[in-house]
């Protein structure tokens, strides 16, 4: 058992992920923690380029290229490059329709093409491997989506994207 005195930024844990290198990543509302089996490294919010800029970690995901994706409360989405030890920030920008639709990111999933599906409080976002910017999916433009507050996403082996919302479970077919 890891305790606060073992460098946990707090004992209340929101999410956990073990990456392909064996590191355990722990998301809390007091920062992101990496545990190597012996010691912890805590990543706290710093308002500097290349640093994580939110301590409120909601969800974690490792993509097929080994990048760690971090969804936060009110801070948007971050991509952590372990080789360069840098965070890239993606956030909602009012005047940019290709930006993330909301800065509260609850779920992240990758499809068979390497595209990332991001669930927020105002719908789904797709970050396509071959493009820059996000495509936004909402109840208004996708009838099979029952509600815009996305709480979780799962891609089945049949390439069906299961999307849970605050008002039910939805199935989208990914082609």
């Amino acid at each position: 058992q890891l305790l606060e005195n073992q460098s946990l930024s707090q004992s209340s844990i929101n999410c956990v992920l073990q990456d392909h290198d064996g590191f355990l990543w722990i998301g809390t509302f007091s920062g992101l923690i990496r545990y190597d089996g012996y010691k912890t490294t805590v990543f706290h919010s710093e308002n500097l380029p290349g640093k994580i800029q939110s301590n409120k970690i909601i969800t974690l995901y490792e993509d097929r290229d080994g990048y760690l994706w971090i969804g936060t409360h009110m801070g948007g989405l971050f991509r952590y490059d372990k080789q360069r030890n840098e965070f890239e920030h993606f956030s909602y920008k009012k005047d940019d329709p290709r930006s993330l639709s909301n800065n509260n990111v609850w779920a992240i999933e990758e499809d068979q093409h390497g595209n990332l599906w991001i669930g927020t409080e105002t719908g789904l976002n797709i970050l396509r491997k071959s493009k820059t910017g996000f495509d936004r999916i909402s109840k208004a433009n996708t009838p099979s989506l029952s509600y815009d507050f996305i709480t979780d996403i799962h891609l089945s082996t049949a390439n069906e994207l299961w999307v849970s919302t605050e008002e039910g479970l939805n199935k989208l077919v990914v082609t």
Side-chain angles (χ1 to χ4, degrees), residues 59-147:
T59 188
L60 299 168
Y61 186 84
E62 184 182 28
D63 70 18
R64 66 182 69 188
D65 296 325
Y67 291 108
L68 181 68
W69 293 86
I70 302 110
T72 69
H73 177 70
M74 297 175 55
L77 178 69
F78 294 87
R79 182 179 76 169
Y80 180 61
D81 183 332
K82 296 179 234 176
Q83 303 302 319
R84 295 175 32 217
N85 193 33
E86 288 185 356
F87 292 88
E88 182 178 1
H89 188 208
F90 302 87
S91 63
Y92 169 73
K93 295 177 182 73
K94 182 180 178 182
D95 297 324
D96 183 0
R98 302 278 297 146
S99 71
L100 192 65
S101 66
N102 186 281
N103 283 330
N104 293 323
V105 176
W106 289 90
I108 306 166
E109 181 66 83
E110 185 175 20
D111 68 22
Q112 71 274 20
H113 305 294
N115 302 316
L116 284 182
W117 294 75
I118 314 298
T120 73
E121 290 184 8
T122 58
L124 277 171
N125 299 258
I126 308 169
L127 183 59
R128 298 194 188 277
K129 187 127 180 131
S130 60
K131 292 174 61 182
T132 59
F134 294 87
D135 294 330
R136 296 178 182 177
I137 297 175
S138 67
K139 182 180 176 183
N141 64 20
T142 305
S144 59
L145 193 59
S146 64
Y147 196 66

Side-chain angles (χ1 to χ4, degrees), residues 3-22:
L3 304 171
E4 276 187 81
N5 64 0
Q6 292 174 295
S7 297
L8 283 181
S9 53
Q10 73 171 198
S11 59
S12 179
I13 307 301
N14 297 328
C15 53
V16 177
L17 175 129
Q18 185 171 19
D19 70 17
H20 74 276
D21 294 320

Side-chain angles (χ1 to χ4, degrees), residues 20-38:
H20 74 276
D21 294 320
F23 291 109
L24 195 63
W25 294 88
I26 304 163
T28 74
F29 272 180
S30 291
L32 177 66
I33 303 164
R34 181 180 61 210
Y35 179 60
D36 67 5
Y38 302 100

